[in-house]
Amino acid sequence: MAEQQTLQEHNIPQHVAVIMDGNGRWAKQRRLQRMFGHRNGVDAVRAIAEAAAEQGVKYLTLYAFSTENWARPKIEVNALMSLLVDAIDKEEVTLNRNNIKFTTIGDAPALPQKVQSKLKNIIRSTAKNTGMTLVIALSYSGRWDITTAVRQMCRDAEQGKLSAADVDEALLASYLSTSGMPDPDLFIRTGGDLRVSNFLIWQIAYSELYFTPVLWPDFGKQHFAEAIKEFQKRERRFGRVTEE
Ligand code: FPP
């Protein structure tokens, strides 16, 4: 709490994106199955969503399931999907009580039918909320996002709605799954690896990167406050020089 009070209120990142890594290792350290790590990871999701909303973050995007994660053993994929369904059931009331809008990015049609229908319901039920937007990336990858955008642009071009001269960065961004959202100001990865792993690769062009060895289930409000504090020390130049 003392840590949180030292944060500069005028310099809170508008959009924070997080790679929640380390659930498997957290479980292994305790000689438990990987799923225990994911289950405890859900508690960390709740804590960080709460912390972000309290700090005034406008968008929190969490990488819950990557395109590459489909290659994990079927039993783990199924368990992750059930965990997601349970979390949606449990958290819907809390999201609405806290004025949080829920949305997803990623290849939704690739998800099991039950997950798709749960997601549709919660997106609808929180659509009018005006506080923080919680974005869950599911069956998502940055290259998938860009490829899907370019495919749709080509379709629009074929139909005469678009020509090559219209294409600029803003237009391409408007075709991405994050259209309408600001780019992440702060990108956090837990679990010790120093990679961006195909997450929001277009959108993080100028994000501040923050890596921590803390495993996701251990990542709490205090760690989140530390990440914001570190962000507030950074000088963001966006390729320009500092003014004298
Ligand atoms: C990475 O840990 C974590 C995931 C692939 C899944 C994250 C999912 C959750 C936290 C739960 C569901 C999410 C929501 C939004 C309710 P890992 O398995 O790669 O860990 P490791 O690197 O230690 O093996």
Side-chain angles (χ1 to χ4, degrees), residues 141-154 172 176:
S141 79
R143 289 183 178 177
W144 166 87
D145 204 357
I146 296 167
T147 308
T148 307
V150 172
R151 190 181 302 119
Q152 189 55 45
M153 287 169 82
C154 289
L172 203 154
L176 295 171

Side-chain angles (χ1 to χ4, degrees), residues 81 94 98 101 107 139 141 171 208 212 217 225 237:
M81 294 296 152
T94 319
N98 291 287
K101 186 172 175 167
D107 186 11
S139 193
S141 79
L171 186 84
E208 293 300 327
T212 168
R237 290 193 298 278

Side-chain angles (χ1 to χ4, degrees), residues 19-28 34-35 37-46 62-66 69 72 76 79-81 83-88 91 102 134-138 189-191 193 195 215-217:
I19 297 189
M20 311 181 285
D21 200 15
N23 294 348
R25 277 164 287 162
W26 186 93
K28 200 171 172 197
R34 296 176 57 79
M35 266 325 289
H38 296 316
R39 240 178 256 163
N40 282 274
V42 177
D43 295 336
V45 168
R46 195 178 300 114
L62 304 177
Y63 207 3
F65 195 86
S66 71
N69 286 155
R72 291 197 175 193
E76 185 172 343
L80 275 168
M81 294 296 152
L83 208 55
L84 186 67
V85 167
D86 288 352
I88 292 172
E91 304 302 334
F102 180 100
L134 175 63
V135 185
I136 305 294
L138 287 166
R189 181 179 187 137
T190 65
D193 284 332
R195 300 189 271 275
L215 303 176
W216 177 251

